[in-house]
Amino acid sequence: KAGVTQTPRYLIKTRGQQVTLSCSPISGHRSVSWYQQTPGQGLQFLFEYFSETQRNKGNFPGRFSGRQFSNSRSEMNVSTLELGDSALYLCASSWGDNSGNTIYFGEGSWLTVV
Amino acid sequence: AQSVTQLGSHVSVSEGALVLLRCNYSSSVPPYLFWYVQYPNQGLQLLLKYTSAATLVKGINGFEAEFKKSETSFHLTKPSAHMSDAAEYFCAVTERGSSNTGKLIFGQGTTLQVKP
């Protein structure tokens, strides 16, 4: 079956712009979570959505937001981009009913802010 | 707050040698534990996970890890390294409870170099 799909894979934005990243989870998965990966900070949890509701949130400013649709697809948005937002953004999905569920990751979206 | 520590940001081994990547967690209540591998320009692939069944967990590509509650550790091993094992490895945890699903806390990662 298809894995976690993220689009776009690569994008370049200018400081001050906003960006929207998309994630399609594995079929049947209701939990979608987002992570930011940078060389300096490593992998950091942004937020998790389950059945269209934000269930968990990491320590990121309000410029980072997300949503989940009824088909479990998710989007994350970053407004007023800063140079430090340049990172690999990873989406992950799981069944979401138990924290021991396997969490599957997509290939990521590479965001460069110039 | 829960935290994960991976000892050694870079580990170098010779092909055919034992691979040992170290991971310690901080919680007094054993969490669920995961090891992921990341190849260049790719996402994360699950190697194995511990969810409270057997303490010795076998994963893909010949990797295994042993959960030791007394040491709060979950070290990853492979008896014989292969060149294709060169990658970055991440240890991660989720705290128990359904509300914590999807919230992985990662270690800083260990880059494994395999020398011919």
Side-chain angles (χ1 to χ4, degrees):
Chain A
K1 61 184 178 182
V4 179
T5 305
Q6 292 187 244
T7 56
R9 288 294 318 279
Y10 304 91
L11 65 167
I12 300 173
K13 291 287 187 178
T14 303
R15 199 169 37 177
Q17 288 186 316
Q18 73 165 8
V19 66
T20 299
L21 308 178
S22 181
C23 174
S24 293
I26 291 171
S27 178
H29 285 186
R30 293 195 295 165
S31 168
V32 174
S33 49
W34 290 87
Y35 296 82
Q36 182 195 64
Q37 185 176 21
T38 60
Q41 298 299 315
L43 279 155
Q44 293 185 287
F45 172 78
L46 279 156
F47 32 65
E48 183 220 1
Y49 285 86
F50 180 78
S51 294
E52 302 179 65
T53 301
Q54 187 179 85
R55 185 160 66 173
N56 277 295
K57 188 178 187 304
N59 295 323
F60 279 81
R63 300 185 297 107
F64 292 82
S65 62
R67 60 178 177 170
Q68 186 179 33
F69 302 97
S70 58
N71 62 358
S72 292
R73 190 177 70 85
S74 176
E75 290 181 346
M76 69 161 281
N77 183 79
V78 188
S79 62
T80 319
L81 284 165
E82 300 176 0
L83 296 178
D85 296 333
S86 295
L88 175 64
Y89 289 89
L90 291 163
C91 172
S93 77
S94 69
W95 293 107
D97 56 355
N98 183 301
S99 53
N101 291 161
T102 296
I103 300 169
Y104 298 90
F105 283 81
E107 294 288 292
S109 292
W110 287 94
L111 170 65
T112 301
V113 182
V114 298
Chain B
Q2 177 73 261
S3 65
V4 179
T5 302
Q6 290 183 239
L7 294 175
S9 58
H10 288 85
V11 170
S12 181
V13 301
S14 298
E15 191 174 20
L18 171 72
V19 175
L20 170 61
L21 304 180
R22 301 177 186 274
C23 172
N24 289 87
Y25 62 92
S26 65
S27 174
S28 59
V29 176
Y32 295 116
L33 293 146
F34 306 79
W35 274 101
Y36 284 88
V37 61
Q38 185 177 36
Y39 298 100
N41 300 318
Q42 293 188 23
L44 302 175
Q45 181 183 9
L46 180 72
L47 285 173
L48 49 79
K49 69 176 184 180
Y50 168 76
T51 58
S52 76
T55 55
L56 182 62
V57 181
K58 294 188 183 297
I60 62 171
N61 302 339
F63 285 94
E64 62 181 38
E66 185 173 9
F67 171 72
K68 291 187 176 181
K69 182 179 178 180
S70 61
E71 299 177 7
T72 60
S73 68
F74 190 56
H75 301 332
L76 182 71
T77 61
K78 182 174 180 177
S80 177
H82 191 272
M83 296 297 291
S84 61
D85 294 327
E88 190 159 19
Y89 292 79
F90 292 94
C91 181
V93 305
T94 59
E95 295 184 351
R96 292 179 182 266
S98 60
S99 64
N100 292 312
T101 298
K103 184 181 178 182
L104 283 165
I105 299 167
F106 284 90
Q108 285 300 305
T110 298
T111 300
L112 176 65
Q113 179 187 25
V114 182
K115 297 179 291 186

